[in-house]
Amino acid sequence: MASPSTLAVIERYDEYRHALNELIASIVTGIASPALFDDAGARDEAVRCAGKHYPFVDLLYLLDAAGMQITPNLPVRKNHPAGGRGLGISRNQRPYFVLAQKQADGVAITAPYLSHASGLLCITAIVRIGRPNQSGDEDSGYLVLDIYLAEA
C-alpha cells in the first residue's frame, strides 16, 4: 500500500489537530519524570512503553535547560536511522525548543515539518521537567518526543 502524500497527511492532521495534540500531551506528560535524567532503566522503560502503546512515537530524547541534547536519540521504532545519535548537539535554535521557552508550563507541540532525523513528516512535543539537585535547588531539562505524523 502506498503511503499517503505529505499534503494528505497535513490535511488529516489539520482536521484532527486538537484531539491529536491532546493525546500527545497526555503521552508526554505520562512519560515525563525526573528519573529519566539519571536512570537509564527508566529511559529504556519509557521507550518500551511508548513503542508498545503508541507506535507513532518515533524518537525520545532529553535536553538540558540550555537546549543541549544530553541523551542520544532513543528510537522507539526499530532500525531508526537516527538511533544513538544526537548526544551533545545544541537544539536551542530548533522550533520546538524555542516554542517551549515561550510557553511557561505544559506541553508544547510544533506544526508539522520534515524531520532531519528520519526525513519523515513529524511533529515534536516537548515538556519541561523540574528535578531537585544536590544543593536543594531545582534544575530543569526537557523531554522531547518526535511523532511520525502519517502513523498518528
Side-chain angles (χ1 to χ4, degrees):
M1 180 182 198
S3 61
S5 74
T6 300
L7 184 56
V9 172
I10 291 171
E11 286 175 345
R12 191 178 81 210
Y13 172 75
D14 282 341
E15 184 177 349
Y16 296 105
R17 176 190 322 245
H18 182 71
L20 184 58
N21 285 359
E22 284 187 6
L23 172 63
I24 291 167
S26 173
I27 293 167
V28 173
T29 302
I31 293 172
S33 166
L36 296 172
F37 289 92
D38 303 312
D39 183 353
R43 289 189 297 271
D44 291 344
E45 178 62 17
V47 168
R48 187 197 64 73
C49 180
K52 179 179 179 184
H53 299 290
Y54 311 107
F56 48 86
V57 175
D58 202 30
L59 289 175
L60 178 152
Y61 52 96
L62 300 172
L63 306 176
D64 68 12
M68 184 68 64
Q69 191 168 332
I70 57 175
T71 64
N73 295 330
L74 304 171
V76 176
R77 291 185 306 119
K78 293 195 183 322
N79 302 319
H80 195 288
R85 298 182 183 170
L87 180 63
I89 295 176
S90 177
R91 307 291 183 187
N92 67 359
Q93 296 299 313
R94 299 294 299 153
Y96 54 86
F97 188 77
V98 172
L99 187 61
Q101 296 296 294
K102 291 178 182 176
Q103 184 171 318
D105 292 321
V107 177
I109 301 173
T110 66
Y113 68 97
L114 289 176
S115 169
H116 183 272
S118 67
L120 301 172
L121 188 65
C122 77
I123 56 177
T124 297
I126 182 170
V127 66
R128 181 186 170 279
I129 301 174
R131 57 191 174 128
N133 63 27
Q134 292 178 351
S135 68
D137 295 329
E138 186 177 89
D139 289 332
S140 63
Y142 295 87
L143 169 64
V144 182
L145 291 180
D146 283 352
I147 309 296
Y148 176 34
L149 206 50
E151 294 291 320

